[in-house]
Amino acid sequence: MTSLTPPEKDGNRLTVQAADNTSGESCRTFIFRKENHTLGNCLQSILLKNPQVVFAGYTIPHPSEEIMHLRIQTTEGYPAQSALRKAFIDLKKEAEDLKKKFNSAVQEYETIPS
């Protein structure tokens, strides 16, 4: 397996399973350590909005382990790793937009006279 992030003291947070020879770069399983349904569901939703993603799904193999498997299959010529990077960028943007809307709503609420 190859690592996408620098190793931490207790190991890698993200690893990529080696693909078979027929799928190329368009089909990968990413293994996230110390992650759960929160990130899995967010990434799956964002990935499925990408028209170049054919399949995106995640599993938590066992509830007592902090491991999440994310499977991505893309159209030919578009690497699954690129789809994952784009999903992280899109997720960050959506989180920033949500934070702005929330802060705006709080300010609006606080200006309403009691």
Side-chain angles (χ1 to χ4, degrees), residues 4 47 80-90:
L4 293 179
L47 283 162
Q81 188 169 337
S82 296
L84 181 59
R85 287 176 197 255
K86 183 181 181 326
F88 275 122
I89 292 167
D90 293 349

Side-chain angles (χ1 to χ4, degrees), residues 31-76:
I31 302 171
F32 294 82
R33 286 171 177 54
K34 298 184 179 180
E35 294 298 344
N36 56 30
H37 291 285
T38 304
L39 181 64
N41 192 31
C42 288
L43 285 175
Q44 180 182 5
S45 298
I46 297 287
L47 283 162
L48 291 174
K49 292 178 184 178
N50 185 341
Q52 293 181 298
V53 173
V54 177
F55 173 82
Y58 78 95
T59 61
I60 306 290
H62 194 275
S64 68
E65 297 177 3
E66 294 180 316
I67 294 177
M68 177 191 67
H69 293 193
L70 178 68
R71 181 80 171 167
I72 303 172
Q73 184 175 349
T74 60
T75 57
E76 194 64 37

